[in-house]
Every structure is written in C-alpha cells, then in structure tokens.
C-alpha cells in the first residue's frame, strides 16, 4: 500500500481554508478542479463510473477530465454498480485512490452491500491493518420533478452506518476543499453533491452555486462545520442546497430585525457537534433544515446532540425536513414536501416567538 | 424481396402487418406530442424543472418495433415490466392514453395521480409496471409469472430492458431463477447501442446478449435490423413456449435510439448521429407495406390521422385535468385505513 503514504504526507502541507480570493467558479467546476489537480499530483488517483468520461458526468462532476487524463484514468463502466464500486474497494485496498461515482445516490440500493458491509468495515475488521482510501461520489436531491427514485438525499441513511466519512458541500469553495480532503483521506469518504448547488446551465440555481475559489490546492477539513451567517435570535442548522434557501430567508428576515444564524454542517461524519452546541447555546433556538426524510435521521441527531450536552439549552427546537413520504413527481406535491424557503421562513417566525 | 422473405418466415396476414404499422405510428405520434409539449415551455434556455412536463424525459422513438412485435402476442392478463423508457411498451400493452398522458403531465387524472411520473407507470388493469432503476423490472416479472403459474393460468410475464441493463446483477440472477423454476417469462433486451453515453461495445463483453441465455439454460435469439416482423416472430415463439409451460426465453432486439437518452441530451458522444434519422424503422416499414401493395398513401394518412386524434385528445385531457392538491402530498404512502 505504498501509494497511500505519499498522499497522506502531502495532506498536511496543504493550506487549510485559505482566503477565497476573487476568482469565481461554479460548484461543478470547483469540484472538477479538485479532482484534476489531485490526479495530476498522484498517479494512483482515478475516476470511474457511469458516463464519467465522454459525457463528463451527468451532473458535470467530471467534465474535461477525460480530455486531460485519458480513458485509462477516467473510466466509463457498465451499469454494474456492485462490481465497479467493489472494484474501487479492491483497488483502494491495494493502494490506489479511486473516485467512484454512483450517478444518483438513489441507486445505492443495488450496491449497498459493497458500500456499507465492505468499504465501510474493512478498516475496522482488519483491526486497522487495511485502509480503503476511496471516494464514493454521488448526486443527491430533488426540486426538478425527477420522481421518487431520483430525488432523494439519503445522507442520514449513510451517516447512520459507521465506517465511512460523509461530506456534503453547499458551495464551490467547500466543494473543492472537501474533495481535495476526501481524495487525500485514508478513510473511505462519501461525497454527496446536490444537483441544485452545481450551477448547471440546465437547472434552476441559486446565486450561491457560484463563488470565489482559490486556484491553489487547499483542504476544508472533514468534520468541521461553518457558521456562514452570524445571528443572535435563532440558529438554522443545515447543509447542502438548504444552506442557500436558509441564507435567503436570513437575509430577508434581517430587514425585519430578526437575526438568524446559519450553520452549514458541511460534514455529517464526523459531525461537528461542538459547532452545533455552540450555535444552540448562542441563540437558544434551533431550526434544523434538512432535505432528507424527517424521522430517524439528521434532524433527530442534532436534537440529541444538543439535549445530551445540556437539556436546558434550548427554548425552541423544530425541523423543516421532507415528511416521511417518497418524493412526489408533480411539482405541486414535490414543493409541498421539500424544505422550501417559505417553510423555513414560517419555522423561523414561529421559533422567535418562543 | 425482403418483404417476401419475412412473410415466408413470419406468415403474417395483411391485417396483422397493418396492425403492427398502426401500433408503431400511434406510439410515434404520442412520443412526438410529448416531445413537443416537453420543450414548449422550457425556454429561454433549457431548464429541466420547468414547464407543464418537468423532469427527465426518456422517449422511445425508434424502438417501436420491439413494443409492437412483442405486445401483439400479449393478452391483457399477461404482465409486462418496463424501464425508464416505457411509453412504447405501455401503449402497445394497451394503456389508456389519457391515463398515461395524465401521469406524464403530473395530474390527478394520471395513473398514479401525479405521484409517479413518466418512469413510474403502474397500470394493474393491464399488469403493466416500470421503474427508473436500471434492471429493476426483471425480478418482479418473475414474481408475476410465479403468481400466474401458481394460479394455474397460462398467462406470461415479459420483462423488457436495455442492453445496458443486461450488465446489472438482477438480470443475471433473474435469468437463472426463471430457468431453474421454469417460469413463464420472456426476457427482452432492447439493444439500442447506447446506455446513455456508453456504447454497447464499451459495456458488454459479448457481441450479443442472446449468447448469455445458453449460460442460464434457456433459448436465446438476437433479432437484427430493428425489424418489427422478425420481432413478432421471435416473440411469438417465446410467448408460446412460456404459455405451454416450456419456461423462459431471451430475445435481444437490435433497435435504435432515434433521439437522445433523455431530452436535453446533445449526444456529442455519438459519432453516428448524422445517419440516425435514416434508420427510422417506421418510414421503412410503411414503404415496405406500400411496395407490397398492402397500403396506399391514403391508408397511411388515415392511420396517422387516427393516431393524431387519439393522442391530441389524451394530451388535451391531461392539460385540462386538475393538478394534485398539495394538501394531499402525504397520501398513498400506505393503504388507507391499514
Ligand atoms: C441501477 C441504476 N444505475 C444507473 C442508472 C442511470 N441510468 C438510467 S438509464 C441508464 C442507461 C440505460 O441504458 P439501457 O439499459 O441500454 O437503456 P436505454 O436507456 O438505452 O433504453 C442509466 C445508466 C439507473 N437508473 N439505475
Ligand atoms: Mg441502451
């Protein structure tokens, strides 16, 4: 497993969350840049998945990489997720650093055994003797009427299962820094990008899908949340596309004198519990905004984290999630269950009365 | 000449041949209408989530010969499982066009009251279903065949999916199980040369999926040329075998994806793109029947006119139907009252 040691050593030398500078990219480009840069520096890194080569990834996660690195390192696969994700595991065990794309996280059903019984457990079962330095990258989320099998986030499901780290960037800066950290990590990292944060030309987008990104390599440490807006009245704990909506709501309500803090979790595994507790302690009111199913998931974990720390910390806790229903196709129904800005705003207005 | 050869092989009567053409024209007319409606209100720029028909849209133009040839042998009580690209099969199986269009438009009048969308069409009245997860329909077809067998009927189940799906685990598990238990299943692989942007040669180690059938203990045949009559012949044999208790068969049809994988797909990865329209199977079959003296231009125009009337009625009906009530967004997760 010689290839792993170089990259690990290199990791420590990269800047941690440097100044963003002025160059602006969309999230997809920032992600492509992180992958490309690591591929340039480390021959053991390769990309594999369905339609990642000529197509450049259905959601543009790998655009341009085939042209730069050729078909030996940017590899289209058959529709055989168990086989190629399992192949990624085997290659990682032998010291390569695969980035394997599962086109939509919803497809995890056909290959989850490889992911949670194998990728996630090898390091533990081997008593720490075998590492799986692999990135499993997947598109998540809804909002464009793709129906119940193509619109889920499912991060709570993955985060529930021990042994894989899980990052979910909401913006270009974090997308690059977290991908760089994920590739260089000696643990398996699941990297979920919401289609709606990528800045795709063919999908509605928030202005926050474009932002300043340093040209040089850097890492956003896995497991560190970020306060993306300071506030004093109520805290939104959230991630991914919901960060965009939460910031929109916070900006709007600031005009009415309601001061909203927004915490972007960025990583779910490990979860930055300190940051969660800190914002809860600061405002005493927490609204979790989570585009995952409500029950048995992230929102409950946030409540437990705060309550276990100090049951008296909160005056208010509520959640804006997808109620426990598959994501409907019809727009009217889908937008009734997604955590929209309108639902977030209503939750904040209720929270501040507590 | 080719026609006579086919006729000798298939022994099709004139009405049957006209029926195949009529079916293909109906499907194409429907797909063209959805194409038009899908793109009508997505500008300026293409926004996949916009318009009366939002979301991914996988149209089946070019693959009509598979649907028409196969479904000519299926009864209402036979089952059919399809994929993310289901309209041709749904129509040929006999789905009510208004219910189909209603679902595509996300209306209450749709098969799933707008919950499912175009990849999730469930019509129990004709035992039709489809799924957006590649290869997901194979095992369910086994189960339907199992139920038919246990019920003592001679109904069969057909499972249709693309050549890309034939590299997924459920396909292989299903072939073995169907053969082992002699289930009345017809596996149909639509080889349209592409799985999104991945060419068949880049995904599949054997030149024909028909050869895989032998490895699982069932007959396999590959139909070349996107020829509806050849599909009809192969499907006829397979369906008869299944009905008679002879177990499963596999048919691979070399067909054609006339348009993109989904709407909005620029197909830059597809080198043969310029020549694709020339391979359209419908004008070719129409010509074939015309040359054989079975169909006049007026007959063909009448078929097209009839199809247009039915399709536009379905589209108009869908557009005029109510959208689902957001207050009912949580409905249908479970059986009411359970
Ligand atoms: C398990 C799974 N993997 C990947 C996908 C994404 N996907 C949808 S259609 C498709 C290509 C399917 O190709 P094929 O089976 O040949 O059918 P075609 O689209 O050509 O009709 C892929 C990869 C999916 N829906 N499900
Ligand atoms: Mg195909």
């Amino acid at each position: 497993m010689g290839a792993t040691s170089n990259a690990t050593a290199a990791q420590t030398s990269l800047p941690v969350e440097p100044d963003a500078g002025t160059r602006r990219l969309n999230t997809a480009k920032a992600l492509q840049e992180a992958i490309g840069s690591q591929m340039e520096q480390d021959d053991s890194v390769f990309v594999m998945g369905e339609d990642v080569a000529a197509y450049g990834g259905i959601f543009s996660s790998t655009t341009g990489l085939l042209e730069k690195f050729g078909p030996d390192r940017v590899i289209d696969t058959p529709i055989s997720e168990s086989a190629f994700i399992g192949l990624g595991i085997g290659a990682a065990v032998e010291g390569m650093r695969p980035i394997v794309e599962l086109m939509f996280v919803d497809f995890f059903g056909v290959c989850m055994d490889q992911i949670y019984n194998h990728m996630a457990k090898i390091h533990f079962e081997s008593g720490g003797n075998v590492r799986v330095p692999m990135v499993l990258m997947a598109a998540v989320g809804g909002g464009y009427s793709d129906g119940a099998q193509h619109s889920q986030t499912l991060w709570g499901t993955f985060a529930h299962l021990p042994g894989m780290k899980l990052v979910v960037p909401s913006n270009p800066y974090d997308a690059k820094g977290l991908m760089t950290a994920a590739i260089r990590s000696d643990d398996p990292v699941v990297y979920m990008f919401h289609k709606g944060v990528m800045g795709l030309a063919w999908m509605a987008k928030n202005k926050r899908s474009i932002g300043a990104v340093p040209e040089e390599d850097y890492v956003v440490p896995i497991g560190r949340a970020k306060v993306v807006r300071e506030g004093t009245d109520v805290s939104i704990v959230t991630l991914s596309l919901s960060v965009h909506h939460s910031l929109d709501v916070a900006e709007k309500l600031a005009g009415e004198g309601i001061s909203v803090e927004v915490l972007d979790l960025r990583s779910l595994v490990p979860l930055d519990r300190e940051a969660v507790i800190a914002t809860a302690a600061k405002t005493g009111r927490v609204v979790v905004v989570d585009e995952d199913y409500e029950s048995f998931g992230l929102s409950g974990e946030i409540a437990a984290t705060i309550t276990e720390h100090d049951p008296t910390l909160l005056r208010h806790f509520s959640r804006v999630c997808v109620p426990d229903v598959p994501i409907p196709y019809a727009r009217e129904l889908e937008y009734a269950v997604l955590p929209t800005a309108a639902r977030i705003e209503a939750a904040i207005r209720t929270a501040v009365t507590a | 000449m080719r026609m006579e050869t086919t006729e000798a092989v298939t022994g099709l009567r004139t009405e049957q041949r006209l029926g195949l053409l009529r079916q293909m024209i109906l499907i194409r007319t429907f797909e063209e209408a959805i194409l038009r409606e899908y793109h009508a209100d997505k500008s300026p720029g293409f926004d996949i989530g916009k318009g009366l028909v939002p979301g991914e849209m996988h149209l089946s133009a070019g693959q009509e010969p598979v649907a028409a040839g196969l479904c000519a042998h299926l009864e209402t009580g036979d089952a059919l499982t399809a994929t993310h690209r289901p309209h041709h099969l749904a129509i040929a199986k006999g789905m009510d066009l208004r219910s189909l269009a209603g679902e595509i438009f996300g209306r209450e009048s749709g098969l799933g009251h707008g919950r499912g969308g175009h990849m999730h069409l469930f019509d129990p009245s004709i035992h039709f279903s489809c799924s957006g997860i590649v290869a997901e329909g194979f095992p369910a077809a086994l189960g339907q065949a199992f139920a038919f067998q246990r019920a003592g009927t001679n109904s069969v189940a057909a499972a249709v999916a693309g050549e890309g799906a034939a590299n997924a685990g459920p396909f292989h598990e299903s072939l073995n199980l169907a053969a082992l238990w002699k289930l009345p299943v017809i596996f149909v692989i639509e080889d349209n040369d592409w799985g999104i942007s991945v060419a068949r040669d880049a995904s599949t180690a054997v030149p024909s999926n028909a050869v895989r059938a032998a490895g699982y203990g069932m007959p396999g045949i590959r139909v070349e040329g996107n020829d509806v009559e050849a599909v009809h012949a192969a499907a006829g044999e397979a369906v008869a075998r299944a009905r008679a208790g002879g177990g499963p068969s596999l048919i691979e049809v070399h067909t054609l994806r006339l348009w993109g994988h989904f709407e909005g797909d620029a197909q830059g990865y597809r080198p043969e793109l310029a020549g694709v329209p020339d391979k359209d199977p419908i004008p070719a079959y129409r010509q074939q029947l015309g040359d054989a003296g079975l169909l006049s231009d007026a007959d063909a125009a009448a078929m097209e006119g009839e199809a247009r009337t039915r399709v536009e009625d379905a589209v108009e009906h869908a557009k005029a139907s109510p959208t689902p009530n957001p207050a009912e967004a949580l409905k249908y997760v479970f059986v009411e009252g359970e």
Side-chain angles (χ1 to χ4, degrees), chain A residues 177-194:
Chain A
L178 282 170
M179 179 49 86
T180 304
I183 296 168
R184 290 170 164 242
S185 169
D186 285 340
D187 286 311
V189 179
V190 179
Y191 183 106
M192 294 184 176
F193 60 86
H194 198 296

Side-chain angles (χ1 to χ4, degrees), chain A residues 292-295 320-327 336-339 343, chain B residues 329-330:
Chain A
D292 200 353
Y293 302 122
E294 180 166 292
S295 301
V320 180
C321 307
V322 175
D324 301 326
V325 59
I327 311 289
V337 306
L338 287 176
R343 286 181 65 205
Chain B
L330 305 189

Side-chain angles (χ1 to χ4, degrees), chain A residues 84-114:
Chain A
F84 71 75
I85 290 173
L87 190 157
I89 296 167
V93 157
E94 292 301 331
M96 297 186 82
R97 289 185 176 264
I99 302 163
V100 184
E101 180 163 278
L102 176 62
M103 190 187 290
F104 289 68
V105 76
D106 312 65
F107 308 158
F108 83 117
V110 302
C111 52
M112 196 57 167
D113 182 66
Q114 292 294 332

Side-chain angles (χ1 to χ4, degrees), chain A residues 113-164:
Chain A
D113 182 66
Q114 292 294 332
I115 296 168
Y116 95 102
N117 263 327
H118 213 36
M119 182 183 87
K121 292 180 181 168
I122 286 175
H123 188 258
F124 175 78
E125 290 170 331
S126 70
N129 283 320
V130 181
R131 295 177 180 184
V132 188
M134 148 173 181
V135 181
L136 181 69
M137 169 164 81
V140 304
Y144 61 102
S145 291
D146 215 355
Q149 294 178 340
H150 291 78
S151 302
Q152 304 170 97
T153 62
L154 297 176
W155 43 59
T157 303
F158 281 73
H160 182 64
L161 302 163
M164 43 190 162

Side-chain angles (χ1 to χ4, degrees), chain A residues 51 80 144 146 149 202 329-331, chain B residues 49 51 56 104 120 132 167 197:
Chain A
D51 305 283
S80 311
Y144 61 102
D146 215 355
Q149 294 178 340
W202 46 280
Y329 164 67
R331 187 183 296 115
Chain B
E56 281 185 70
I104 293 170
H120 307 290
N167 295 313
S197 72

Side-chain angles (χ1 to χ4, degrees), chain B residues 42-238:
Chain B
K42 289 207 170 38
S43 47
F46 176 83
D47 178 347
I48 190 172
K50 275 237 163 64
L52 286 183
V53 183
E56 281 185 70
M57 180 52 64
H58 314 83
L59 296 172
S60 65
Q63 304 187 185
E64 295 89 350
V66 182
L70 169 67
C71 293
H73 302 284
L74 298 181
E75 316 273 344
T76 303
D78 294 325
L80 177 54
T81 68
T83 68
H84 56 284
R85 196 182 304 289
H87 301 166
H88 55 324
L89 295 157
I91 292 168
K93 186 70 173 69
M95 188 177 285
D96 171 56
L97 295 187
R98 287 184 167 188
S99 310
L100 170 59
E103 192 58 27
I104 293 170
F105 278 80
R107 302 301 170 111
E108 267 303 326
S109 63
L111 286 162
H113 308 296
R115 270 67 180 176
H118 108 105
M119 289 188 271
H120 307 290
L121 305 167
F122 294 89
D123 188 345
S125 73
I126 56 167
H127 302 265
F128 182 93
S129 62
C130 61
S131 166
I133 304 292
V134 164
E136 197 159 64
F138 293 118
L142 264 58
Q144 292 176 291
F146 179 88
F148 298 152
Q149 201 181 50
R150 289 298 165 103
T153 74
N154 69 351
S155 295
V156 302
V160 184
E163 89 295 336
N167 295 313
F171 172 71
H172 295 269
E173 296 183 22
S174 298
L175 285 182
N176 177 62
L177 192 48
L180 183 69
W181 291 353
K182 272 197 174 253
L183 295 170
V185 179
I186 301 94
F187 296 94
V188 179
I189 298 300
E190 299 181 293
D191 175 8
N192 60 10
D193 293 323
W194 294 95
I196 311 186
S197 72
V198 180
R200 182 226 151 76
D201 295 350
S203 73
T204 308
V206 291
S208 158
N209 275 299
V211 306
R212 288 174 157 170
Y216 294 103
M218 71 178 73
I221 181 173
R222 180 168 162 100
V223 175
E224 288 295 348
N226 209 13
D227 176 345
V228 65
E229 295 192 2
V231 176
H232 185 275
E237 250 185 62

